[in-house]
Amino acid sequence: MSSEDLEKYEAEMELQLYREYRDVVGLFSYVVETERRFYLTNNVDLQPRSTENGEMYFEVVMEDAWVWDMYRPARFVRNVRVVTFKDVNVEEIQKSDLEMPPADGGRGGPELP
């Protein structure tokens, strides 16, 4: 397999992953981003912790999550536990952000051909 074939394969896989993300994002309430992965989930528990010597880390527990990872054969995961010393970003998905604007640009009139 040439490097060009590999790049084409990876581009196709990423496009398939994006399409899957677009199809499932409306099913979830939260986006969770760690240094290694991007998750969609409806249940997330983020707990700051500290080690015996005072270093801070985060424990993130998610249930029924979807993982952005093109190398995983199954992206739906029942339980996820992440422990990290890096930043964790948790955002609530606003359903209005997922809606497509009306075809008429919001003018309320009939759609033009």
Side-chain angles (χ1 to χ4, degrees), residues 49-90:
R49 308 275 191 215
S50 60
T51 64
E52 291 176 4
N53 60 358
E55 288 184 86
M56 174 100 112
Y57 68 96
F58 299 97
E59 181 177 13
V60 186
V61 177
M62 294 170 269
E63 294 176 5
D64 298 323
W66 181 89
V67 184
W68 179 286
D69 185 344
M70 68 181 176
Y71 299 107
R72 286 181 71 100
R75 285 181 274 281
F76 286 97
V77 183
R78 183 173 300 258
N79 295 299
V80 178
R81 180 175 174 257
V82 177
V83 177
T84 180
F85 284 91
K86 306 285 184 172
D87 290 339
V88 175
N89 185 39
V90 178

Side-chain angles (χ1 to χ4, degrees), residues 14 21 23 25 30 37 39 52-54 62 81 88 101 106:
E14 190 148 354
Y21 163 82
D23 291 343
V25 68
Y30 298 96
R37 298 279 189 276
Y39 303 88
E52 291 176 4
N53 60 358
M62 294 170 269
R81 180 175 174 257
V88 175

Side-chain angles (χ1 to χ4, degrees), residues 91-111:
E91 295 181 28
E92 186 172 1
I93 297 172
Q94 299 297 316
K95 299 301 180 184
S96 61
D97 292 343
L98 302 176
E99 296 172 4
M100 296 295 292
D104 65 359
R107 296 184 299 271
E111 186 175 331

Side-chain angles (χ1 to χ4, degrees), residues 13-21 66 68 70 75:
M13 291 294 293
E14 190 148 354
L15 181 58
Q16 287 177 359
L17 183 61
Y18 170 75
R19 288 178 177 152
E20 183 177 327
Y21 163 82
W66 181 89
W68 179 286
M70 68 181 176
R75 285 181 274 281

